[in-house]
Amino acid sequence: SQKIEQNSEALNIQEGKTATLTCNYTNYSPAYLQWYRQDPGRGPVFLLLIRENEKEKRKERLKVTFDTTLKQSLFHITASQPADSATYLCALADETDKLIFGTGTRLQVFP
Amino acid sequence: NAGVMQNPRHLVRRRGQEARLRCSPMKGHSHVYWYRQLPEEGLKFMVYLQKENIIDESGMPKERFSAEFPKEGPSILRIQQVVRGDSAAYFCASSRTRPSSYNEQFFGPGTRLTVL
């Protein structure tokens, strides 16, 4: 069956370190993958999109990689700050371009 | 330029009542999506609409749920005869064009439905 997995356990890191979040998927061949940020009580906010023919995408302190062989995307936040604390969702496009979301990983950056 | 707007933000209904959730997409967006998020679960796709048309409703329960996006006015997600299991956060998103690798979705703040 098709599945998207994100680490359900919260990730706690110290301010200034690099946070790395993982998104693994099975039985999908997505043309692209997106990452969103969601704060408590709010809707998701789009961060980055990476296509299947792209290995890496950067935006300011954010970096996303996409390995279609491993069926995995990694999301990095460098020089993390307490304000980066949130839940991060990965979403991939299925064959109809419908977005399928993972359950998200909660990131906590402490001073 | 206002973002996606949803109302009400919170809705309380008793079992058997109807819930009506509204979504106004971003200006210039004609594609609307509805998602449901249960506690500790991910966003689940429900339906994708374009003005006056339902494009994909594969995530919608077969009974009691319906959605529309009329030519004028907001998109409406209607849940008839609500049950406790319908309690969730319902998010609406919009995009300028059809889903593609050149397209991001903009989400509203959600409507939190509580069924007593």
Side-chain angles (χ1 to χ4, degrees):
Chain A
S1 64
Q2 296 174 317
K3 199 186 297 185
I4 303 173
E5 290 184 328
Q6 293 186 256
N7 193 342
S8 58
E9 292 183 13
L11 177 64
N12 298 308
I13 66 166
Q14 192 171 24
E15 183 176 11
K17 302 289 186 186
T18 296
T20 299
L21 287 69
T22 304
C23 176
N24 295 298
Y25 58 93
T26 54
N27 295 323
Y28 282 111
S29 296
Y32 57 94
L33 188 146
Q34 301 183 4
W35 283 87
Y36 288 78
R37 168 182 173 145
Q38 187 174 22
D39 291 281
R42 294 176 176 261
V45 175
F46 172 81
L47 295 174
L48 281 168
L49 180 154
I50 187 165
R51 301 182 180 87
E52 60 179 339
N53 60 349
E54 297 174 316
K55 295 291 185 199
E56 182 179 297
K57 187 74 80 71
R58 291 175 185 262
K59 180 182 175 183
E60 298 173 352
R61 294 184 296 111
L62 309 180
K63 184 178 85 171
V64 171
T65 63
F66 192 10
D67 189 326
T68 54
T69 301
L70 290 178
K71 295 187 181 294
Q72 180 182 77
S73 176
L74 298 178
F75 178 79
H76 306 271
I77 306 176
T78 57
S80 59
Q81 305 166 0
D84 295 327
S85 299
T87 296
Y88 291 86
L89 309 170
C90 76
L92 55 79
D94 70 4
E95 62 278 4
T96 65
D97 275 324
K98 186 164 62 235
L99 282 183
I100 311 298
F101 282 84
T103 53
T105 297
R106 193 167 73 250
L107 172 67
Q108 184 72 41
V109 181
F110 55 91
Chain B
N1 185 13
V4 177
M5 300 179 70
Q6 290 187 248
N7 66 80
R9 294 292 308 276
H10 301 273
L11 182 61
V12 179
R13 285 287 178 267
R14 297 191 179 281
R15 279 180 296 170
Q17 291 184 319
E18 177 179 286
R20 192 172 295 204
L21 288 62
R22 286 177 289 278
C23 169
S24 296
M26 283 183 69
K27 187 177 181 180
H29 287 194
S30 59
H31 300 256
V32 165
Y33 316 80
W34 284 95
Y35 296 85
R36 176 163 63 177
Q37 188 173 40
L38 292 166
E40 305 305 321
E41 292 190 19
L43 285 160
K44 302 292 186 192
F45 168 82
M46 298 181 74
V47 62
Y48 160 40
L49 310 104
Q50 201 179 351
K51 279 288 187 181
E52 299 185 272
N53 292 305
I54 296 175
I55 307 300
D56 183 345
E57 58 182 347
S58 58
M60 285 272 275
K62 292 288 185 282
E63 298 176 349
R64 303 187 298 108
F65 285 72
S66 63
E68 63 178 16
F69 189 15
K71 187 176 181 181
E72 301 291 338
S75 175
I76 306 287
L77 178 68
R78 184 181 292 110
I79 311 173
Q80 297 177 306
Q81 299 176 320
V82 295
V83 300
R84 289 220 173 99
D86 296 333
S87 296
Y90 291 84
F91 291 96
C92 167
S94 72
S95 63
R96 185 178 299 277
T97 63
R98 62 173 294 279
S100 76
S101 62
Y102 298 93
N103 198 6
E104 64 183 89
Q105 294 184 19
F106 294 83
F107 281 80
T111 293
R112 276 143 191 87
L113 172 66
T114 301
V115 180
L116 302 177

